[in-house]
Amino acid sequence: MSADGARGGGGRARAIVWPFVWPFVWPFVWSIARSISTQITWQIATQITWPAAWRRSRFPARLHAGLRSRVRAHPQRGSLLLEFMAVAALSLVLALWASHEWAQRARALQARSLAVWMDAARGAAESFLARHAAELADAGTADALAGQGYADWTAPRWDELRSAGLLAGGWQAAGPLRRTLGLRVLREGACPGASCQVWALVHARPALRTSAGGVDEALVAEWLQAAEGRGLVVWPRRPGFLSGAGQRIPVPEEGAADWGPGVVALAARPPSGQAGGAGSGGGEGGAGDDAAYLRVRDARDPDFQGDATVQGVVRSGTRLAARDSLHLERGWKVGDACAPEGALGRAVDGVGILACRQGHWTLVARPTGGGYMVHSRRGCANVLGVSTANPVTGVCACPTGYAAAQVAESGTPAAPEGLTMGYLCLLQK
């Protein structure tokens, strides 16, 4: 911050503090002035030589008596004056503390306003990149967009963006904390060319510094909180980088004076998938904060590596593919009401697939119940001793939800070969 700015800030601080301090100071000053004036008057009255006519009158005597009584009263009022001085001093300290807190809060609100103002400028920069991304990626000279109203596409002016309809007509050149904004368009990759990536930085000028010249960390912290994770700052410990949440970007080589410690900035990128748009990011940790976030109608595959929970309906434009399996948690009974038409579900007993047809669940697929044979003498085995059990259950019985229906019978119980009966397991309704 410049010396003029520091002096201006000091003047503003005094203008803010003085109305709080003066009501507590003036009674103290008045008491001291009154005491001093009384002492001076007494000294003059006791040292003056009065004319003979005055000495014969009672005025000197009355004056001396009045002053003598006021002087004698001073020691009695001295303790009260000391108490008043203590209360005034304490009140002064409280007033100074309150005014300091108020001034700090006012600066914090200004820092938040600066972040909101810069975010509006970032939106305009993104619109500029979205409109001219392909031209910027193929631009060979700085005046490549001069025909469209931009004298230098690497550093478009805000009035040029306003003329192009990318900024509101009421846009102000100076914002909170008496800052102005700069815009720098950068490119990465093989430029010019189809694989060239364009992005931009919106930064505040001058840097957020204290009157001593250091970075105003309290002000920067308020700005970062208002920037909601998108803020970038040049810190003294890494003067060559803009550092943010999980990213570190080298400062632009052009205009090095604009990128000293304390500079705050926001990154802007064109929509993903557009020519010249962000795909791989740049710099150390990625040059743009938008590359790490999904957009509405984003064409990229998010490639989530964990679980995803959705409370609403999930729609697919083509088909739904599952590498492992599809788990239907809730079960329904055949005949229950359903919607919409064509929906699929599972039977409440866990065996069978249901389809919603004409507003009711209908069984469309269910595993077979199997079958088995029982001999009157050998039980669940044939003459060779081989098991004739149901392959579904492993015993001569039907699975749950199925009923045994006799389909065959051979021999008689009294015959030497005995009686053999065959059963088929059919679905119960």
Side-chain angles (χ1 to χ4, degrees), residues 91-294:
S91 302
L92 177 61
V93 171
L94 293 176
L96 290 173
W97 174 81
S99 61
H100 174 74
E101 289 296 318
W102 187 89
Q104 290 294 105
R105 191 58 185 168
R107 283 179 59 82
L109 293 176
Q110 286 182 313
R112 292 176 175 270
S113 300
L114 177 63
V116 174
W117 185 51
M118 292 180 66
D119 190 62
R122 183 181 71 93
E126 286 185 346
S127 300
F128 169 76
L129 296 177
R131 181 179 296 183
H132 303 289
E135 298 160 305
L136 293 172
D138 294 332
T141 59
D143 59 353
L145 271 67
Q148 303 188 43
Y150 304 100
D152 182 2
W153 63 262
T154 64
R157 300 194 308 271
W158 298 113
D159 59 339
E160 294 175 341
L161 269 65
R162 183 171 51 192
S163 300
L166 302 177
L167 269 177
W171 176 262
Q172 299 294 325
L177 296 173
R178 298 184 179 182
R179 263 42 180 194
T180 60
L181 299 183
L183 176 59
R184 176 68 60 178
V185 179
L186 306 169
R187 300 194 298 185
E188 302 168 348
C191 301
S195 61
C196 181
Q197 304 292 329
V198 295
W199 58 290
L201 284 172
V202 178
H203 59 96
R205 297 178 298 199
L208 302 183
R209 298 181 185 176
T210 62
S211 58
V215 176
D216 193 334
E217 296 188 1
L219 206 60
V220 171
E222 292 288 346
W223 181 88
L224 284 174
Q225 184 177 6
E228 298 181 348
R230 296 189 297 267
L232 302 168
V233 184
V234 179
W235 295 106
R237 57 183 177 273
R238 282 198 176 94
F241 294 91
L242 283 161
S243 302
Q247 55 185 331
R248 191 166 65 245
I249 307 170
V251 298
E253 297 179 358
E254 300 84 358
D258 291 338
W259 304 99
V263 169
V264 294
L266 294 175
R269 285 186 174 272
S272 178
Q274 187 173 351
S280 59
E284 213 172 324
D289 57 312
D290 288 349
Y293 298 93
L294 293 175

